[in-house]
Amino acid sequence: MKTLTTSQKEKIKKAAELLVNSKHSIILTGAGISTESGIPDFRGEDGIWDKYKPEIYGDIESFLRDPSKFWKMAREIAPTLFDAEPNPGHYALAELEKMRIIKAIITQNVDELHQKAGAVIVYEVHGNINRFSCLGCRASYTKEQVLNKLKKGRKSAPLCNYCGAPLKPSVVLFGEDLPKFEKYMSIDLAKKTDIMLIAGSSLTVAPICDLPVYTLSGGGKLIIVNDQPTHLDDKAEIVLNHKTGIILPLIVEEIKKIKIERESELSI
Ligand code: APR
């Protein structure tokens, strides 16, 4: 495992100070925070889009023309996705919410791992893989019902019991609109926040990649934790190119130390 440099340790302390002094900090997460739970990301090393072209496997027009392509990719990823458990990065962010350090987690992820780790104020701007509906009659199906359909070994898309149309998970594909409430709430939070911590995102997909720019133009600051550089690194207050599962718990540890020091000063 990559060890921390002195500079990274200093940056972790600085990030903790920024967060503990912030009035309404928020978190933006991407697929990178879930790779340590075994779920592949999209553009990192061995990312999903290396194997499956997004314009064929991740696009709504392509899905409507031939849903079996999306479902071929989904069959491969679904077991990992459905069985995944939160990792220390998810638990660290849930703890920041419990400590009232952050106002919300805006996530591009559909794996529900933030909620499984105990966070509740989570805005899923790209939907959620645990809900499915029929493209024909809008009947809705649970993950278990869809998994049973997939197990029946059909190569094509799982079909609706009633009208026979293909099912689609409630995830946002390229070419689809984002859920309105989550989208506009995220933009409002991004404009108002004084600190946005970004964890595990390449910041390449609009409109969510614009959120940090709203924060900057509102005078807010960015903390970026990502194991690859992003195009906003030069505008960030702090950049930590390391694993979220390592860095985020260390930031929480530093915040706890600061809070204990402050409480002991007050009690003198
Ligand atoms: N720790 C830190 N960074 C990581 C880790 C990790 N453990 N694992 C991966 N990363 C980094 C990768 O290097 C990459 O820069 O996380 C980033 C993930 O970027 P993407 O794969 O592009 O994921 P994301 O930014 O969430 O993509 C946004 O694109 O395809 C759509 O809908 C999809 O929601 C997704 C959106």
Side-chain angles (χ1 to χ4, degrees):
M1 177 178 67
K2 225 168 86 179
T3 51
L4 288 175
T5 62
T6 312
S7 143
Q8 285 174 325
K9 288 175 186 164
E10 278 154 18
K11 286 181 182 177
I12 287 168
K13 284 195 169 61
K14 190 177 169 202
E17 273 153 28
L18 284 175
L19 287 164
V20 82
N21 294 329
S22 73
K23 299 286 165 289
H24 38 83
S25 58
I26 60 173
I27 307 283
L28 171 62
T29 64
I33 196 171
S34 295
T35 55
E36 290 166 80
S37 296
I39 301 175
D41 64 14
F42 296 94
R43 298 171 189 82
E45 227 171 284
D46 304 328
I48 294 172
W49 296 148
D50 286 347
K51 184 172 179 185
Y52 294 103
K53 288 193 179 327
E55 58 275 17
I56 298 171
Y57 291 91
D59 173 90
I60 186 62
E61 296 299 325
S62 169
F63 184 96
L64 294 171
R65 269 196 306 277
D66 176 6
S68 65
K69 286 201 168 52
F70 170 89
W71 279 103
K72 175 178 177 295
M73 172 184 73
R75 280 174 191 279
E76 186 187 314
I77 304 168
T80 319
L81 208 48
F82 290 150
D83 298 343
E85 288 302 321
N87 66 59
H90 295 105
Y91 287 112
L93 297 184
E95 208 167 348
L96 288 184
E97 181 189 274
K98 284 191 192 76
M99 293 161 78
R100 300 277 187 277
I101 294 278
I102 58 171
K103 286 278 178 263
I105 297 173
I106 300 164
T107 187
Q108 301 170 89
N109 301 339
V110 298
D111 54 33
E112 225 171 54
L113 291 183
H114 286 303
Q115 294 94 322
K116 277 188 179 175
V120 289
I121 312 177
V122 180
Y123 297 119
E124 296 174 312
V125 289
H126 287 168
N128 182 305
I129 194 66
N130 291 300
R131 290 186 293 276
F132 298 81
S133 58
C134 166
L135 290 177
C137 65
R138 309 303 296 163
S140 62
Y141 292 80
T142 65
K143 174 172 73 178
E144 289 67 29
Q145 288 170 318
V146 171
L147 277 174
N148 287 335
K149 285 176 177 289
L150 291 177
K151 277 187 194 121
K152 290 207 177 97
R154 305 276 302 275
K155 284 275 161 276
S156 60
L159 303 178
C160 177
N161 300 345
Y162 300 98
C163 75
L167 305 186
K168 176 180 173 292
S170 309
V171 298
V172 177
L173 299 181
F174 287 110
E176 282 193 290
D177 289 338
L178 274 60
K180 294 255 178 309
F181 174 82
E182 286 77 1
K183 175 180 171 183
Y184 292 111
M185 175 56 103
S186 300
I187 291 171
D188 190 49
L189 285 168
K191 286 180 175 171
K192 286 180 182 155
T193 192
D194 50 355
I195 302 285
M196 176 186 280
L197 187 151
I198 301 159
S201 179
S202 62
L203 297 175
T204 48
V205 175
I208 297 307
C209 64
D210 300 332
L211 295 182
V213 180
Y214 289 132
T215 298
L216 291 169
S217 43
K221 292 179 179 159
L222 305 181
I223 300 169
I224 299 178
V225 181
N226 204 59
D227 70 1
Q228 279 178 357
T230 77
H231 73 286
L232 285 176
D233 286 359
D234 59 341
K235 302 220 172 28
E237 194 74 13
I238 297 171
V239 177
L240 281 150
N241 293 130
H242 208 300
K243 297 290 178 204
T244 49
I246 304 284
I247 298 295
L248 299 178
L250 291 174
I251 290 177
V252 172
E253 254 177 60
E254 284 304 318
I255 288 175
K256 286 179 179 172
K257 283 183 199 163
I258 294 168
K259 286 170 85 78
I260 290 166
E261 278 159 24
R262 288 185 181 175
E263 276 147 24
S264 60
E265 279 158 17
L266 285 176
S267 62
I268 297 169

